[in-house]
Structure formats: C-alpha cells, structure tokens
Amino acid sequence: MTGIDKQLITGLILAGGRGTRMGQVDKGLQSFRGAPMALHALMRLSPQVGEMIINANQNLAVYESFGTQVWPDQIDGYAGPLAGVQTGLVHCETPYLLTVPCDSPFLPTDLAERLSLGLLSNDADLAVAVTTEYEDGIARRQSHPVFSLMKASLLDDLTTFLMQGGRKVDAWFQHLRIAEVVFEDNTGFRNINTLQELRQFET
C-alpha cells in the first residue's frame, strides 16, 4: 500500500497557546539554534505536505513573515489545541490535515508518510503517533495526540464537540476510529515546554 499523496495533505502548526510553562511567552517564536521554534517545525513539515497553515493567537505578523497563511482560533479564550485544530480544518482545502505543535523542532521527516499509511490501512478517521517510553525499566505506550493526521471531513464533528464544551483531545478521540502508528525513535517527538529545556536541547 502506498501513502496519501502529499498534495492532498495540509500541514498545521499549532502555535496558539499561552506558553504558560515557558513564562507566558509566545513559545513558537522562542529562538532555538538561531531560528524561532515554529520555523524549525515548518521547515521539517512543509516538504511532507502540499499546503501549510499556522494557527496563532498573537504576533500574527511575525508568523506571517514565515511565508505561510496564519489564522487565529475561531473560538475565543485560548480554548486549547482542539480550537487550533478546528481552525486548521476550517481553512483546510485538502482532504487531510496533519497537525504538529510549534515546539517540536525534531519532528520526524517521515511523519506524514507513516501516519497516512496507518490511516489508510486501518480505514481510520485519524492516525496518531505513538512511541514506547521506558520508566524504571518498564515499557509503556505514549500517545502524542497533537501529532495526528485526520480527515478534513471531521470539521463538523469537532465543531459540535467544542460547542458542547469539550476541550480534551483524548475525549474527542474516543468516538473516532483511531489508528495508532508506532514510531521507534521517540526523539522526534521531544517538545520544548520550558526555558530550561530550550537551553538543554540548544546544544
């Protein structure tokens, strides 16, 4: 089986949060190895998809300078990542949307290909990245729900969920057909949440 043609996929970078754990700064614009974190994510994702969108709720002009379309949440009040996903779906003109967070400068270069194979082979609505994490020698599966590929036709379902007060990604996933795609290398999903982590991964 072959994956989905990349021209049928729009990539969405989620940069609409408050950056609370990083001291209320715009996390996607924090400098990492000489460039804003969101730009690193954009450069890694854009070759894998046909179109790109950034979801941001502040500093829109700066994000627009990256050369792609930028849209704020449709829902007021920093309603979380699902509000950003909904915004992406509203402006998505392809059959599929691939979402990643803005603080993921190491995201896999085969993310779109592997998620699309998982979605098609499982006849799923949405494919999500999963890794195996080890703690005290014990293996556990770790889902990365904001690294997901979904059908654009989920817009109405997600809008209804949000209008009913839903905010948690896992709760929305529960009534969808989900394909979990295991990635052996978990380093691609390291996200940078604090200034300490920013300094740690700088080298």
Side-chain angles (χ1 to χ4, degrees):
M1 176 181 287
T2 58
I4 298 165
D5 186 322
K6 74 175 189 177
Q7 298 302 325
L8 301 178
I9 303 173
T10 296
L12 172 67
I13 295 175
L14 296 165
R18 296 179 188 271
T20 305
R21 282 184 284 178
M22 201 171 275
Q24 304 288 346
V25 299
D26 193 336
K27 190 158 52 171
L29 298 182
Q30 297 310 296
S31 180
F32 178 74
R33 298 181 182 175
M37 276 203 292
L39 185 56
H40 283 281
L42 176 71
M43 292 170 66
R44 289 181 79 87
L45 186 60
S46 58
Q48 304 183 49
V49 298
E51 299 289 338
M52 283 296 308
I53 297 173
I54 296 175
N55 162 240
N57 290 309
Q58 52 187 329
N59 302 309
L60 303 189
V62 181
Y63 283 110
E64 287 169 351
S65 73
F66 296 173
T68 190
Q69 54 181 314
V70 180
W71 298 100
D73 289 351
Q74 302 271 304
I75 298 174
D76 294 335
Y78 290 89
L82 283 182
V85 173
Q86 187 220 21
T87 295
L89 288 171
V90 166
H91 297 284
C92 180
E93 297 182 355
T94 59
Y96 300 94
L97 182 75
L98 173 57
T99 70
V100 301
C102 66
D103 57 357
S104 55
F106 312 108
L107 68 90
T109 55
D110 60 351
L111 182 67
E113 178 184 8
R114 294 184 61 181
L115 289 180
S116 69
L117 286 169
L119 188 146
L120 292 175
S121 62
N122 290 279
D123 190 25
D125 299 314
L126 182 149
V128 61
V130 174
T131 56
T132 302
E133 307 292 329
Y134 293 89
E135 188 172 337
D136 297 327
I138 300 173
R140 62 177 178 84
R141 290 168 70 85
Q142 175 66 54
S143 177
H144 303 276
V146 288
F147 291 88
S148 60
L149 174 70
M150 67 195 70
K151 294 178 178 177
S153 57
L154 292 177
L155 172 59
D156 288 346
D157 187 273
L158 177 55
T159 300
T160 299
F161 179 80
L162 290 167
M163 292 299 101
Q164 292 174 345
R167 294 293 181 266
K168 294 186 179 299
V169 178
D170 291 344
W172 182 51
F173 281 8
Q174 284 179 1
H175 67 281
L176 302 177
R177 290 174 297 175
I178 302 293
E180 293 188 337
V181 179
V182 178
F183 287 75
E184 291 74 23
D185 184 2
N186 61 8
T187 60
F189 301 94
R190 289 187 307 204
N191 55 336
I192 298 175
N193 287 310
T194 66
L195 292 173
Q196 180 181 359
E197 290 175 347
L198 191 67
R199 292 190 290 269
Q200 175 187 342
F201 294 124
E202 186 75 40
T203 55

